[in-house]
Amino acid sequence: SSEDLLFMLSCTGCSECCLKCLSGIPYASLIATILLYAGVALFCGCGHEALSGTVTILQTYFDVVRSPVDALDVFTMIDIFKYVIYGVAAAFFVYGILLMVEGFFTTGAIRDLYGDFKITTCGRCVSAWFIMLTYIFMLTWLGVTAFSSLPVFMYFNIWNTCQNTTLVESSNLCFDLRQFGIVSIGEEKRLCTASENFIKLCESNELDLTFHLFVCALAGAGAAVIAMVHYLMVLSANWAYVKDACRMQKYEDIKSKEEQELHDIHSTRSKERLNAYT
């Protein structure tokens, strides 16, 4: 019937529209963006909570007191790191959106919609700028990953000692905060295995939770590095595509110009022959 025919035509139109939309999605950029957001969220969330746990451990078990004056102590540095985490989360949220938009505008579906001209004129500059910026961010995240391994190493030593307290009962091992640069040389803030605070620290949940939060933050930084490498591959491919599109456009322009010149020459000769015959 006519109703069935209209229904089939509408379904066909909807399926074609869906396929066109799906063909315009930059899946490589989408995967890199999801990986970037997951890594940044893991690093920022776990890193923030791990820093808060570090403040609790220092104040409760190591008896480190916040400086009453505006001095650059460990607590001030932790507060600065927290603000840096807020900025990193906001900045890379925006950067991920920008890279997704760049990926959309270099797909074939968007090219067919807006034409090659807009892509080839400013697409090369945008792609080159994003490649340079992403490379810098990749090196930055490599540094962040290396820096995030320091608290993991420190907490692993304490956590491992707590897990093997029966093996070190005969010896009195101490963790001095001065060797990690947390306190100044003049302050003597150390925790020995024979002390009561060390036993309380090993029995508390703060140590285990903070240690694993720093491990998750380290994993998040590593995921961000992988996302940056993925973005570099995508942006390099987009750069090559835009460059080839620009060359193809110049070739098509030269070809059409030559064809127009040949057509004009043939038209002129035909007119001359006609006039000569007349």
Side-chain angles (χ1 to χ4, degrees):
S1 62
S2 59
E3 294 181 356
D4 294 337
L5 181 60
L6 290 174
F7 178 75
M8 292 176 63
L9 290 175
S10 62
C11 291
T12 304
C14 291
S15 62
E16 291 179 355
C17 182
C18 292
L19 290 175
K20 188 176 181 180
C21 292
L22 291 175
S23 63
I25 297 176
Y27 291 101
S29 298
L30 180 62
I31 293 172
T33 303
I34 293 173
L35 185 60
L36 175 65
Y37 282 168
V40 171
L42 196 63
F43 172 78
C44 294
C46 295
H48 184 275
E49 293 303 315
L51 290 174
S52 300
T54 301
V55 172
T56 303
I57 291 175
L58 291 176
Q59 291 177 339
T60 306
Y61 304 103
F62 286 91
D63 298 327
V64 181
V65 182
R66 185 183 290 270
S67 177
V69 296
D70 294 335
L72 191 62
D73 58 355
V74 61
F75 298 108
T76 305
M77 292 296 296
I78 288 176
D79 292 337
I80 293 174
F81 287 148
K82 287 183 178 180
Y83 286 116
V84 170
I85 284 175
Y86 300 149
V88 167
F92 279 93
F93 176 77
V94 176
Y95 191 66
I97 294 176
L98 292 177
L99 289 177
M100 273 298 297
V101 172
E102 195 273 343
F104 270 109
F105 275 91
T106 27
T107 54
I110 301 299
R111 179 201 61 189
D112 295 337
L113 181 62
Y114 290 100
D116 286 332
F117 180 74
K118 292 184 179 180
I119 293 178
T120 53
T121 50
C122 45
R124 296 180 67 181
C125 297
V126 171
S127 296
W129 171 255
F130 275 125
I131 288 173
M132 181 186 68
L133 204 58
T134 304
Y135 184 76
I136 294 173
F137 283 150
M138 185 197 68
L139 295 180
T140 303
W141 275 109
L142 281 175
V144 170
T145 304
F147 182 77
S148 300
S149 63
L150 297 179
V152 173
F153 173 74
M154 184 183 68
Y155 274 101
F156 175 75
N157 289 333
I158 301 175
W159 181 81
N160 192 36
T161 304
C162 288
Q163 299 297 319
N164 300 279
T165 51
T166 56
L167 301 178
V168 295
E169 287 180 352
S170 58
S171 59
N172 187 22
L173 301 179
C174 296
F175 294 98
D176 198 337
L177 295 181
R178 291 176 296 183
Q179 65 182 354
F180 298 107
I182 297 178
V183 296
S184 61
I185 302 289
E187 300 181 61
E188 187 176 353
K189 299 293 183 181
R190 60 181 181 176
L191 192 64
C192 298
T193 55
S195 63
E196 184 180 355
N197 281 343
F198 182 81
I199 298 173
K200 290 181 180 179
L201 176 62
C202 293
E203 294 176 352
S204 66
N205 294 325
E206 286 88 355
L207 177 63
D208 189 69
L209 179 61
T210 305
F211 170 59
H212 288 92
L213 283 174
F214 271 121
V215 172
C216 291
L218 178 62
V225 173
I226 297 174
M228 290 293 104
V229 174
H230 197 163
Y231 270 130
L232 280 176
M233 293 188 293
V234 173
L235 291 170
S236 300
N238 290 343
W239 165 265
Y241 163 74
V242 171
K243 189 175 181 180
D244 290 341
C246 185
R247 290 179 178 177
M248 184 61 66
Q249 184 180 5
K250 291 180 180 179
Y251 171 75
E252 293 293 337
D253 293 340
I254 295 173
K255 183 179 179 181
S256 61
K257 186 177 180 181
E258 290 179 350
E259 290 178 351
Q260 184 64 35
E261 290 177 354
L262 289 174
H263 182 267
D264 294 340
I265 292 173
H266 285 300
S267 299
T268 304
R269 288 181 178 178
S270 299
K271 289 180 181 179
E272 290 177 352
R273 290 175 182 176
L274 182 62
N275 292 332
Y277 177 77
T278 304

